[in-house]
Amino acid sequence: MLSYFTGIFTAHPSVLRKTDISYVDTDSPDYDNQRHRLNVYTPVNAQNCDVLIFVHGGEWDSGDKNLYGRIGSHFANKEVAWVSINYRLAPKFNYKDMAFDVARAVKWVYESISDFGGNPSRIFLSGHSAGGYLSALTGLDNQYFKQAEISNPLKGLILIDSFLLDLYEFFTITDPDWARKYYDLFGSKEQEWRTATPMFYLNGSQLPIRAFLGSKTYPGILLGNDRFRKQCELAGKDYQLHIIRGKAHRAMITQLFFSKNNMYHHIIDFMKNN
């Protein structure tokens, strides 16, 4: 059975927060009591507001949904329902397990968010760093939604300083030595890396994409996002890249702890127009 939520209280006078909701059936043989949970932040008395699901970063082996509550409150104060999810982590689980978890979390949101005042036909998926990779892969490669037994319900992708959007080229050309550290996560063969690369699924998707990139982020992230941008342009995709001057990798998400940060304007504008 599904566990609904274990906590409910206001994070701000105009924000309702519900925490630790199980998004996988608790009777499922792969259910993880810690990692198959999500938090929901909504405006008090929300009615059919847009929904933004966030996938945390942490290099696929760390990170937690609870670190981003302030961001959730800020979005809810701006009339957006924010959902922050956990997912199973490396080294025990690989990227396919993680993408499947993201798809299952999206499915839960699609089926349940109306109970919280969100609009199930207005769901956007976002992530930072490794979470950006998982958001891109899950949103573009529909096999994970098929595995979760749902059609892709997303209206768009919002990628924040995302890593390994061009995983195949990064592992084979840019830094093949670095790839050896991640054989358990992505496999050790070039065909496995191709399968794991979000960029190769662009032609099969019509999702609009907005990407945000720090000018001082890691070189590999800069290269990967540039290759992803060029491929989007070649494929004629609705894609726009925002370069945030002076921001390093971690600051690309922590800047959203401040409610007046201009990224909120860009993200919400993108959601309203798609």
Side-chain angles (χ1 to χ4, degrees):
M1 63 180 180
L2 282 174
S3 170
Y4 205 46
F5 58 81
T6 60
I8 173 172
F9 55 91
T10 53
H12 183 277
S14 60
V15 175
L16 195 66
R17 183 175 87 170
K18 303 177 180 70
T19 63
D20 289 329
I21 303 169
S22 294
Y23 65 82
V24 171
D25 193 316
T26 56
D27 291 332
S28 176
D30 68 348
Y31 176 69
D32 187 306
N33 189 50
Q34 179 183 6
R35 303 309 304 181
H36 284 148
R37 292 184 179 269
L38 54 79
N39 296 340
V40 179
Y41 293 74
T42 56
V44 171
N45 300 320
Q47 293 184 343
N48 283 322
C49 56
D50 285 356
V51 182
L52 182 59
I53 302 171
F54 179 74
V55 185
H56 68 75
E59 210 164 343
W60 300 279
D61 64 3
S62 63
D64 190 270
K65 61 183 173 54
N66 294 327
L67 298 174
Y68 305 95
R70 187 181 299 181
I71 299 174
S73 292
H74 293 332
F75 270 109
N77 273 317
K78 300 175 191 299
E79 300 300 315
V80 172
W82 161 275
V83 181
S84 181
I85 74 167
N86 276 351
Y87 52 90
R88 292 171 295 173
L89 299 172
K92 186 175 181 180
F93 300 97
N94 63 30
Y95 80 94
K96 292 183 179 180
D97 300 316
M98 299 173 196
F100 179 41
D101 285 349
V102 174
R104 288 194 283 186
V106 173
K107 179 180 181 179
W108 182 93
V109 171
Y110 179 75
E111 294 176 343
S112 305
I113 200 63
S114 60
D115 295 337
F116 301 80
N119 187 340
S121 67
R122 300 283 303 158
I123 300 173
F124 296 79
L125 182 62
S126 179
H128 170 249
S129 191
Y133 164 86
L134 290 171
S135 297
L137 184 68
T138 308
L140 297 173
D141 181 1
N142 286 325
Q143 70 164 300
Y144 300 103
F145 286 117
K146 289 178 182 178
Q147 187 180 359
E149 299 181 338
I150 184 176
S151 296
N152 187 336
L154 299 177
K155 298 295 289 184
L157 296 174
I158 299 163
L159 309 178
I160 304 172
D161 228 57
S162 301
F163 195 21
L164 294 187
L165 297 178
D166 70 329
L167 185 144
Y168 178 80
E169 289 194 47
F170 190 85
F171 279 14
T172 57
I173 299 172
T174 306
D175 196 347
D177 290 334
W178 192 87
R180 294 190 183 94
K181 298 187 297 182
Y182 289 93
Y183 281 176
D184 289 341
L185 181 58
F186 296 108
S188 59
K189 298 179 174 61
E190 289 191 10
Q191 183 55 48
E192 293 175 304
W193 301 341
R194 180 175 290 275
T195 300
T197 298
M199 189 170 65
F200 293 148
Y201 299 99
L202 284 167
N203 287 332
S205 173
Q206 297 301 317
L207 286 179
I209 303 170
R210 291 298 177 269
F212 297 86
L213 190 63
S215 66
K216 293 186 177 181
T217 192
Y218 299 115
I221 292 179
L222 289 170
L223 285 170
N225 276 263
D226 189 56
R227 290 170 181 156
F228 190 81
R229 174 189 62 81
K230 291 176 180 176
Q231 192 61 39
C232 284
E233 292 176 353
L234 287 172
K237 299 302 179 185
D238 181 355
Y239 172 88
Q240 185 174 340
L241 175 64
H242 299 271
I243 302 292
I244 310 298
R245 300 297 175 189
K247 294 297 183 183
H249 181 61
R250 184 173 294 181
M252 283 299 296
I253 191 64
T254 59
Q255 65 183 317
L256 292 176
F257 290 164
F258 302 95
S259 64
K260 295 183 179 180
N261 186 275
N262 199 43
M263 271 182 63
Y264 283 104
H265 167 76
H266 289 297
I267 292 171
I268 293 173
D269 184 66
F270 167 68
M271 295 173 69
K272 286 180 177 178
N273 287 290
N274 287 280

